[in-house]
Amino acid sequence: MPEIRLALEAPDSTPERLDRATRALHDNLRRVRGLSVHRPREEPPPDGRGGGALLAELVLGGALTTSSVAAVSAVLTGWVDFGRNRAITLRCDDVLHRIEADAAEAELEAVLGRLHDENGG
């Protein structure tokens, strides 16, 4: 599976709170079997939605299986729904998808499922 980059956005958070939330998301994603998760050392990509948003980034790799698609989707939508104004932008090859509060988990599952299918899943 190619890397999936997650740009985590929490404009109402302090840098410390965003860091704690990012670590919690990292820990939850690491529980998904076959998935590898790490924080890149480089700076996150610039905010494409305008200035002022606090960003962090995680990179997913490893095996995205049919069963892990639902688990990853649930973890990501749960993270977004937990805090006000949180969002995640998912980037992988030519796929760019933004997840905001009240996003349909099924929509994200479809995007992750497409990535799984396109990569020989």
Side-chain angles (χ1 to χ4, degrees):
M1 172 181 88
E3 287 186 340
I4 299 174
R5 290 189 168 266
L6 304 174
L8 312 174
E9 195 176 315
D12 294 344
S13 291
T14 64
E16 294 80 20
R17 289 185 72 194
L18 177 59
D19 186 61
R20 280 195 306 273
T22 302
R23 279 190 309 228
L25 178 60
H26 177 274
D27 292 346
N28 288 333
L29 287 169
R30 285 189 57 158
R31 292 185 181 114
V32 177
R33 181 184 296 201
L35 198 66
S36 65
V37 184
H38 70 276
R39 291 179 84 166
R41 293 184 189 271
E42 77 253 14
E43 289 296 312
D47 178 15
R49 306 293 271 183
L54 285 175
L55 293 175
E57 190 173 35
L58 292 175
V59 178
L60 306 182
L64 188 61
T65 64
T66 303
S67 61
S68 66
V69 165
V72 170
S73 179
V75 169
L76 295 180
T77 53
W79 188 88
V80 169
D81 288 341
F82 187 78
R84 265 185 1 174
N85 299 318
R86 284 186 180 181
I88 298 174
T89 301
L90 179 147
R91 290 179 177 86
C92 180
D93 294 334
D94 63 343
V95 175
L96 179 67
H97 186 78
R98 185 173 170 82
I99 308 158
E100 296 177 333
D102 299 323
E105 192 173 316
E107 181 184 339
L108 176 57
E109 233 177 277
V111 170
L112 293 170
R114 190 175 93 205
L115 289 173
H116 169 265
D117 294 343
E118 287 175 1
N119 292 287

